[in-house]
Amino acid sequence: MREMTYGEAVNAALHRLMEELPETLVYGEDVGVPGGVFGVTRGLRKQYGERAFDTPISESAILGSAVGAAMFGRRPIVEIMWADFSLVALDQIVNQAANVRYVSGGRLTAPLTIRTQQGNAPGACAQHSQCLEALFLHVPGLRVCMPSTPQDAYDLLVTAVHCDDPVLVIENRTLYFGRKEPVETGGPVRPMGGARTRRAGSDVTIVTWGAMTERVLEAAEALAGDGIEAEVLETPWLNPFDTGAVLASAGRTGRLAVVHEANVTGGFGAEVVARVAGAGVPLLAPPIRIGTPDVRMPAAPALAQSLVPDAARITGDVRGLVKG
């Protein structure tokens, strides 16, 4: 066990993977000599030489080369500095990487890991703040996870790189330099998928992932002060998604709220609600989705902060769900 921040845990996982898997490569914009814009890849170039290198500012070249390298025996770990920039390389991700196993009849795979980060932060503005997990979850053949804790940041990345399919590991820059927590390193590769109950409750189920998890836990504490016991179910893996855990929890509590930072319309919360409805889970009230309104993210930090769900807004919305 070592005390680490979220960013340090990602770095520790990268060092482990480079040490244990000689077929791994780490590359992207500024990840080699500079050590990454958030310092997450520091030390890799010094320790592993040319297996960690910088690239030109060309997301399509980064992803295109990674698909080819993965098909021929490498396990590339590439960084797309902001999730927004992945849109430049949608063809390489959606039409190429996600299709390799299918179009080759299973003869080839693309064990490619794409590390990126998303979400709002002060000054992020409209082109550096989009939450795009739902877009990638719409594509068969892609695995997607969103770690929220240092332990998850370590474990999920290790699992992703050992997978023979392309995986998007979507981090959040507001978490990189947060509080240090104990992280177990060097353990066995954990299985992909699964959900976990972060807080038990009997009145309402709140499903969440990524950076919203801490805000939901804070809201759950506030709700408890009102006599409302919320069950917080975190789903770090969005594909594969643990539908069974959500159905079981919602069935126990009779109420459902889904919280994500992404825009409400078309967000993955709609899919979660649809699965609960499709399974015929009897609910005491219509389920709700809590997310960012369908607007572009403003440059002013105060305005941006007013849009992204916070603990107070989550508390109020869930209170309204329970008390009608």
Side-chain angles (χ1 to χ4, degrees):
M1 301 292 288
R2 293 167 51 194
E3 293 277 332
M4 299 183 193
T5 64
Y6 185 102
E8 290 168 344
V10 175
N11 183 266
L14 290 170
H15 275 277
R16 169 185 172 173
L17 292 161
M18 294 284 275
E19 183 70 31
E20 294 181 353
L21 301 175
E23 67 270 28
T24 53
L25 303 169
V26 173
Y27 63 96
E29 298 162 14
D30 294 335
V31 305
V33 176
V37 67
F38 302 107
V40 173
T41 56
R42 283 178 184 155
L44 296 180
R45 175 76 176 187
K46 181 178 180 180
Q47 187 162 347
Y48 303 104
E50 294 185 356
R51 288 173 58 204
F53 58 91
D54 299 310
T55 67
I57 302 175
S58 177
E59 286 75 17
S60 58
I62 294 169
L63 268 301
S65 63
V67 174
M71 291 170 64
F72 285 90
R74 293 286 194 170
R75 286 186 181 270
I77 308 168
V78 297
E79 178 179 307
I80 300 300
M81 196 178 290
W82 266 263
D84 313 67
F85 302 165
S86 66
L87 301 176
V88 179
L90 276 184
D91 179 71
Q92 286 79 4
I93 300 171
V94 176
N95 287 332
Q96 309 306 327
N99 271 328
V100 166
R101 185 187 288 273
Y102 176 74
V103 300
S104 70
R107 291 179 293 107
L108 296 173
T109 58
L112 157 66
T113 300
I114 304 167
R115 281 189 52 251
T116 190
Q117 57 80 30
Q118 68 177 23
N120 183 60
C125 305
Q127 293 179 319
H128 296 75
S129 59
Q130 296 174 96
C131 295
L132 301 175
E133 68 267 22
L135 187 155
F136 295 109
L137 288 165
H138 189 69
V139 181
L142 296 179
R143 306 295 188 182
V144 181
C145 64
M146 293 181 63
S148 71
T149 67
Q151 187 68 66
D152 274 354
Y154 181 91
D155 289 337
L156 271 60
L157 182 55
V158 171
T159 298
V161 175
H162 279 85
C163 179
D164 286 336
D165 291 314
V167 182
L168 275 90
V169 180
I170 304 176
E171 300 158 3
N172 191 292
R173 64 185 171 282
T174 65
L175 302 176
Y176 283 135
F177 308 107
R179 67 177 180 271
K180 291 193 174 188
E181 297 180 7
V183 176
E184 181 182 356
T185 62
V189 178
R190 299 184 185 276
M192 186 175 287
R196 62 168 173 262
T197 302
R198 296 291 300 271
R199 190 182 193 282
S202 57
D203 296 318
V204 58
T205 296
I206 309 177
V207 180
T208 192
W209 50 85
M212 287 292 102
T213 303
E214 283 302 315
R215 300 184 184 191
V216 168
L217 289 170
E218 184 180 345
E221 288 298 318
L223 288 165
D226 290 342
I228 299 172
E229 293 299 329
E231 181 152 291
V232 178
L233 190 67
E234 184 185 14
T235 54
W237 283 99
L238 299 179
N239 185 15
F241 186 76
D242 192 347
T243 302
V246 176
L247 298 182
S249 178
R252 286 193 303 272
T253 67
R255 300 179 181 90
L256 174 66
V258 187
V259 182
H260 53 61
E261 186 175 350
N263 299 96
V264 172
T265 299
F268 192 64
E271 176 66 22
V272 177
V273 169
R275 293 187 188 190
V276 172
V281 176
L283 298 178
L284 302 173
I288 62 171
R289 294 173 291 152
I290 304 171
T292 299
D294 299 331
V295 299
R296 306 307 300 182
M297 192 60 64
L303 293 177
Q305 186 176 0
S306 71
L307 296 175
V308 178
D310 59 10
R313 178 177 154 202
I314 296 166
T315 300
D317 288 357
V318 175
R319 183 187 296 115
L321 170 64
V322 174
K323 295 191 173 183

